[in-house]
Amino acid sequence: MIIPNFSIVPGSPVSDIFIEHEVKTFYEAIRKVQNLPYGRVENPLEFGSIITNGRGTCSTKHATLKMLTDEHAIYGLQLELAIYAMNEENTPGVGATLDKYNLPYMLEAHTFLCYDDEIYDYTFAQSKNLTWTDSILMQTTIDTDQIGEYKKSYHKSVLADWIKRDHLPYTLDELYTIREECIEALSNATTH
């Protein structure tokens, strides 16, 4: 079953932003969001700011689309948070950073959408590759307001457990900095 399409009607914050940018249907919104360059926005909880800022991350892109369905009372689309073993094979662009720190992978917190048990990832324009899904270690449904501090705290707790379990030679702050270098590499990569 595929995500249903619908006409965007005015009167709600995220819907109004899409309409201002001449986006009239949910499928048009998906294409608009997916084609935005990868990059962070100042306030991830200002849904729709990805359109005005012209960039977004996995969290902001998917939370914005989820909020758009919520504004139209379209139910069944879920915002998901997964921890997966990110490496060069499943996330091209991070390999050099991982090699630099002698890490085979980075435990990454990734946000995406699910509808009828199908995964939809609109993080990158060119990406139709879902090989990262084979590396999912845990997954949970979250609310749109959990893409900020909640996601970061959850991710850091997973990294702290990984450090202890595998006796990694890094502190939590060091490992999170390495993770940030991986994200920066993704932001600078031209193909995904």
Side-chain angles (χ1 to χ4, degrees):
M1 195 172 210
I2 60 172
I3 298 174
N5 196 11
F6 57 88
S7 295
I8 299 173
V9 297
S12 301
V14 176
S15 299
D16 290 346
I17 290 170
F18 278 103
I19 289 170
E20 288 169 18
H21 288 83
E22 300 181 12
V23 177
K24 298 174 183 153
T25 69
F26 186 60
Y27 284 4
E28 288 177 16
I30 289 171
R31 282 190 294 279
K32 177 85 171 171
V33 166
Q34 187 171 22
N35 287 320
L36 292 173
Y38 184 88
R40 290 187 170 140
V41 294
E42 189 173 319
N43 184 350
L45 296 179
E46 284 182 15
F47 303 111
S49 67
I50 62 170
I51 303 302
T52 54
N53 283 272
R55 65 184 177 278
T57 61
C58 66
S59 296
T60 54
K61 288 182 175 191
H62 295 111
T64 297
L65 291 171
K66 170 68 170 124
M67 185 60 71
L68 188 59
T69 63
D70 290 352
E71 288 179 354
H72 288 80
I74 306 294
Y75 302 109
L77 190 66
Q78 296 175 307
L79 184 62
E80 297 290 313
L81 172 61
I83 300 294
Y84 80 102
M86 176 174 68
N87 59 37
E88 181 64 25
E89 288 178 20
N90 60 32
T91 313
V94 301
T97 303
L98 294 173
D99 289 347
K100 177 178 162 184
Y101 294 100
N102 199 29
L103 290 169
Y105 56 84
M106 173 60 66
L107 292 182
E108 180 56 59
H110 185 60
T111 309
F112 54 95
L113 297 171
C114 274
Y115 186 77
D116 198 35
D117 294 327
E118 289 291 322
I119 291 176
Y120 296 89
D121 187 354
Y122 302 116
T123 306
F124 298 107
Q126 300 88 354
S127 181
K128 303 229 181 334
N129 180 355
L130 294 176
T131 57
W132 61 268
T133 61
D134 295 335
S135 301
I136 292 176
L137 304 171
M138 56 186 89
Q139 179 177 331
T140 187
T141 302
I142 60 171
D143 292 324
T144 53
D145 64 353
Q146 292 180 303
I147 65 166
E149 283 307 310
Y150 173 84
K151 179 184 173 190
K152 186 175 182 179
S153 296
Y154 180 81
H155 190 191
K156 283 189 170 187
S157 72
V158 169
L159 293 176
D161 289 345
W162 183 32
I163 291 168
K164 286 182 205 168
R165 185 191 71 225
D166 289 1
H167 308 288
L168 297 180
Y170 301 108
T171 66
L172 178 57
D173 288 341
E174 290 169 336
L175 194 60
Y176 202 77
T177 298
I178 295 167
R179 182 264 178 184
E180 288 295 301
E181 283 187 42
C182 289
I183 299 305
E184 183 66 27
L186 284 177
S187 295
N188 294 331
T190 57
T191 59
H192 302 284

